Amino acid sequence: MPHLYESEITGEFAALCGGAGGTSNAESCLTLAELAGGGYALGDSKPEGAGRQLRMSEAEITAFAEAWMSGKRSASA
């Protein structure tokens, strides 16, 4: 598999909204697109986050989502 930051984005970004206390305005959305060869590009819908991406493999994004949903959130970096 190529390095995630070298992979092409396939298709459009989808917006996953609902943060900021349950509001669904455009500034409370996470954007997500699949990468060629596997993995995902995550973006921020806020103007300050325009053009910035975090890329994760399928295993990484799955582990993150499972930990987040189970409440096992860590503030450490």
Side-chain angles (χ1 to χ4, degrees):
M1 171 156 72
H3 188 275
L4 291 172
Y5 286 89
E6 295 172 357
S7 297
E8 295 287 324
I9 294 172
T10 60
E12 298 292 319
F13 276 87
L16 305 172
C17 303
T23 64
S24 60
N25 67 34
E27 288 200 6
S28 65
C29 301
L30 170 75
T31 59
L32 180 74
E34 289 188 59
L35 298 173
Y40 298 90
L42 291 88
D44 185 352
S45 63
K46 294 173 190 62
E48 301 84 5
R52 297 182 185 169
Q53 295 176 1
L54 172 64
R55 294 187 176 202
M56 302 174 100
S57 69
E58 183 175 349
E60 290 169 329
I61 199 167
T62 299
F64 171 80
E66 288 172 348
W68 183 265
M69 296 304 293
S70 71
K72 296 177 184 173
R73 302 174 191 136
S74 174
S76 62

